Amino acid sequence: MMSATFVGTLALTETQILALRRPVQDAEVEWRAAVRDGPPAIPYLSHNGYRDRLDAAFGLGGWGMIPVGQPKQNEGTIFVPYALVIGGLPRVYAWGEQELHKMSYGDGLEGTKSNAIVRCGKELGIARELWNRAHIAALKARRLGRGAEARPASSGDDPPVAHHAESESVITKKDRVRFWV
């Protein structure tokens, strides 16, 4: 197990800072529910967006994720501590976690790594605007098409907007089925 004894500074070039802090484009934003089975409500940048920014800043092979402890499992969730290694030195530490619902243990371990990449990337300022309430409000307004001032000109490549609706199940008449149109 690697110990977390390294303390130091990470000198970044202006180019690296710009690559890490590149603004998240609306087309890169994904949405998840705030509550189980709820409508898409919380914007996030996927782990691939974090990987792309790390690759742009440090080059392919210039960074990596190293587990620094043994996986732990509790109530169907796996937890693994990771270090983000840049230029051969551990720079940021974070726990990755993944629910095992309908996935193999190996896939769950991969999920913990992706989760840890996101958590470590936040420490480097990646996707910082997705934690800003004013930015999130404007993003939601653009997504829902409220107001011309809130919505940028469409390139035609915008993802479809999801609207949440409920309907009664035809099978049991008492079940509620959630779906997105």
Side-chain angles (χ1 to χ4, degrees):
M1 179 163 112
M2 184 187 311
S3 65
T5 57
F6 178 81
V7 177
T9 59
L10 176 61
L12 298 173
T13 67
E14 188 64 30
T15 302
Q16 289 172 318
I17 292 169
L18 290 173
L20 293 169
R21 301 256 171 103
R22 179 172 56 88
V24 177
Q25 302 300 309
D26 287 6
E28 293 179 285
V29 175
E30 296 188 26
W31 296 84
R32 68 176 175 84
V35 296
R36 186 180 291 283
D37 298 324
I42 300 174
Y44 69 96
L45 179 64
S46 77
H47 67 93
N48 286 326
Y50 284 82
R51 290 173 189 266
D52 289 345
R53 284 163 173 79
L54 289 165
D55 286 344
F58 306 113
L60 293 173
W63 68 276
M65 297 297 292
I66 304 294
V68 293
Q70 294 298 312
K72 300 181 184 333
Q73 192 169 346
N74 184 20
E75 297 180 12
T77 301
I78 301 175
F79 303 90
V80 181
Y82 283 92
L84 171 61
V85 175
I86 299 171
L89 294 172
R91 297 299 187 166
V92 183
Y93 295 88
W95 282 88
E97 67 179 83
Q98 177 65 53
E99 288 184 22
L100 280 176
H101 182 70
K102 295 185 180 180
M103 70 172 52
S104 70
Y105 187 76
D107 287 343
L109 289 174
E110 282 294 314
T112 64
K113 183 177 180 181
S114 296
N115 181 252
I117 288 171
V118 170
R119 290 178 175 191
C120 288
K122 284 184 349 189
E123 293 297 318
L124 296 174
I126 298 174
R128 177 178 288 177
E129 64 269 33
L130 294 181
W131 296 93
N132 178 293
R133 289 182 185 196
H135 180 81
I136 292 170
L139 183 63
K140 286 180 178 182
R142 287 193 304 272
R143 179 174 174 258
L144 296 174
R146 293 183 188 147
E149 70 284 347
R151 187 176 183 86
S154 175
S155 64
D157 297 329
D158 294 336
V161 174
H163 298 284
H164 185 261
E166 291 186 10
S167 72
E168 204 163 311
S169 171
V170 179
I171 299 169
T172 66
K173 296 287 186 192
K174 60 183 173 181
D175 293 335
R176 306 255 330 134
V177 178
R178 294 180 184 257
F179 62 95
W180 287 263
V181 181

